[in-house]
Amino acid sequence: MSGRFGAAFESAGAWLLEPAQPGRQAELDAPASLRPVVAVFGLAPGCGATVVARALAAELARRDRDGAAAVHCESRLAGVPLATAAAHRLSRELAEVRAAETRAVGRLCLVGGAECGALADAARHVAPLVLDAGATALGGVAAAVADRVVVVGGPATEPALESVAVDCLERVGRDPLMVRNRTIAAADTTHVLPDSRMGAQLALGGREARGELGRAVARIADLCGLEQ
């Protein structure tokens, strides 16, 4: 590969890979009595990683015996301020984590402020947790504490960049699940989520996506080892 894309991809590994803090490496297979932790990374701003994170969390909440899940994120204001009793209970529980700011939305408890490693330690005992890790860097504590890592690209994401992301995460012992958002076709190793404005709005409001998007998200949850 040559030209500006070649130069970009040659340096992408160093740009994407963020070292994990020592001592935060989690076991890949959490005990059955503990809830799962999933980290969701975006390959570029605007690729829809937040929608995917919340849609996945809502699906995990639907499957969980207590009916709620948590999402660690920077932006906590999006979403209709209507929530289930289970989400409100989870919000109160996770507010005990140091520096945590919580808000119940739909089936979800959105959490900001807290260090994601500490939040993961607490959430494993009470609810599934999705770490909305953004599109700044791959790796770091979010990847280290997660049982499964999901990487989201958009319709125009370069396949070569997806390959770089896989290489980066494999260096820290993670085999990522690659997702192409808002598309109908991708490489054999990449899973696709269809474009659905209504499904995206439901997800941002902490509810399960419906229709084709909902079924696709359910398959992602299955592939994370989180079957119904």
Side-chain angles (χ1 to χ4, degrees):
M1 185 179 299
S2 60
R4 63 187 183 90
F5 283 111
F9 289 129
E10 286 176 4
S11 60
W15 172 72
L16 287 168
L17 188 61
E18 177 183 277
Q21 294 178 8
R24 299 303 319 177
Q25 182 73 28
E27 293 182 358
L28 289 176
D29 297 315
S33 60
L34 300 181
R35 269 47 170 234
V37 177
V38 180
V40 176
F41 293 89
L43 285 178
C47 67
T50 291
V51 169
V52 174
R54 292 197 193 182
L56 179 57
E59 174 64 20
L60 300 183
R62 185 185 69 80
R63 300 180 182 197
D64 189 77
R65 60 181 177 270
D66 289 335
V71 176
H72 183 268
C73 53
E74 293 184 2
S75 175
R76 303 178 300 284
L77 298 180
V80 179
L82 298 174
T84 64
H88 281 295
R89 286 195 297 271
L90 181 59
S91 182
R92 291 191 293 270
E93 288 185 85
L94 295 182
E96 299 298 319
V97 177
R98 183 178 179 181
E101 300 174 4
T102 63
R103 182 189 182 203
V105 174
R107 289 183 179 269
L108 306 180
C109 168
L110 307 184
V111 185
E115 191 272 322
C116 64
L119 180 62
D121 290 342
R124 285 186 187 279
H125 300 280
V126 293
L129 171 65
V130 175
L131 305 171
D132 182 357
T136 302
L138 290 177
V141 178
V145 302
D147 305 306
R148 199 68 163 96
V149 174
V150 176
V151 177
V152 181
T157 301
E158 288 283 340
L161 186 56
E162 295 177 351
S163 297
V164 170
V166 171
D167 291 342
C168 288
L169 287 164
E170 286 180 344
R171 292 179 203 169
V172 293
R174 290 294 183 263
D175 181 17
L177 180 64
M178 305 302 297
V179 173
R180 182 72 67 88
N181 192 30
R182 301 193 301 271
T183 189
I184 58 174
D188 292 341
T189 57
T190 302
H191 304 279
V192 299
L193 297 178
D195 190 6
S196 171
R197 290 188 179 183
M198 180 176 294
Q201 289 301 313
L202 285 170
L204 291 174
R207 302 287 180 173
E208 309 97 291
R210 304 295 184 181
E212 285 298 321
L213 178 59
R215 287 187 284 273
V217 170
R219 289 192 292 270
I220 299 300
D222 293 341
L223 290 168
C224 288
L226 310 169
E227 299 183 1
Q228 301 186 64

